[in-house]
Amino acid sequence: MRAFREAVEAHDLDAVVELLAEDVVFTSPVVFKPYTGRAITAAILRAVAEVFEDFRYVRGIGDPGGRDHALVFTARVGDRRIEGCDFLHVDDDGLIDELTVMVRPLSGAQALAAAMGARFEQIADAARAQENPA
């Protein structure tokens, strides 16, 4: 999905969030249970943007007019290089209703899990604040 890729590459996380359906399902590469909802997905993506270094998309796969897209990326978490893929599905309104991320190698996934786990409370707080603005 071109808009998602451009927003991520521009580090425009507000634009990324606008592309998410309210009921988006986010499947993490390091957590068993998927997360549902725009608020938690946005909080996770904002934290990932802090964790990933040297992030860049290297290839897009999919039919430009279709509903399923794959964006292959490389990044670094600490001293671990990661290769991964964002799998996107869009709904009838053109919003992302499924986002699945896969990464390799195992040592990179473990580094990502540790870095994101250290931010768990911050992520949860950010999601609650977005769901219940003051």
Side-chain angles (χ1 to χ4, degrees):
M1 167 179 226
R2 183 179 208 171
F4 181 84
R5 179 177 181 163
E6 290 174 354
V8 170
E9 289 176 335
H11 306 286
D12 186 349
L13 295 175
D14 291 334
V16 170
V17 172
E18 289 300 314
L19 295 169
L20 302 176
E22 283 295 328
D23 61 347
V24 62
V25 175
F26 175 77
T27 304
S28 164
V30 296
V31 177
F32 174 72
K33 184 179 175 184
Y35 296 94
T36 301
R38 180 189 268 176
I40 188 64
T41 301
I44 291 167
L45 293 177
R46 289 182 192 284
V48 167
E50 295 173 2
V51 168
F52 278 164
E53 298 175 56
D54 303 328
F55 179 92
R56 68 183 185 94
Y57 285 117
V58 296
R59 182 172 57 251
I61 304 167
D63 175 7
R67 290 185 167 207
D68 293 293
H69 307 272
L71 298 171
V72 180
F73 65 85
T74 61
R76 187 172 45 81
V77 177
D79 64 348
R80 300 292 176 184
R81 297 287 315 156
I82 291 179
E83 297 172 321
C85 192
D86 292 335
F87 295 97
L88 309 169
H89 182 271
V90 296
D91 64 15
D92 291 337
D93 298 321
L95 296 175
I96 299 166
D97 62 356
E98 294 177 23
L99 171 55
T100 299
V101 180
M102 295 188 181
V103 298
R104 64 161 308 279
L106 178 59
S107 62
Q110 290 168 329
L112 177 60
M116 292 298 289
R119 290 170 169 75
F120 179 78
E121 289 299 321
Q122 174 188 355
I123 292 167
D125 290 345
R128 281 191 291 275
Q130 192 170 22
E131 289 173 341
N132 305 307

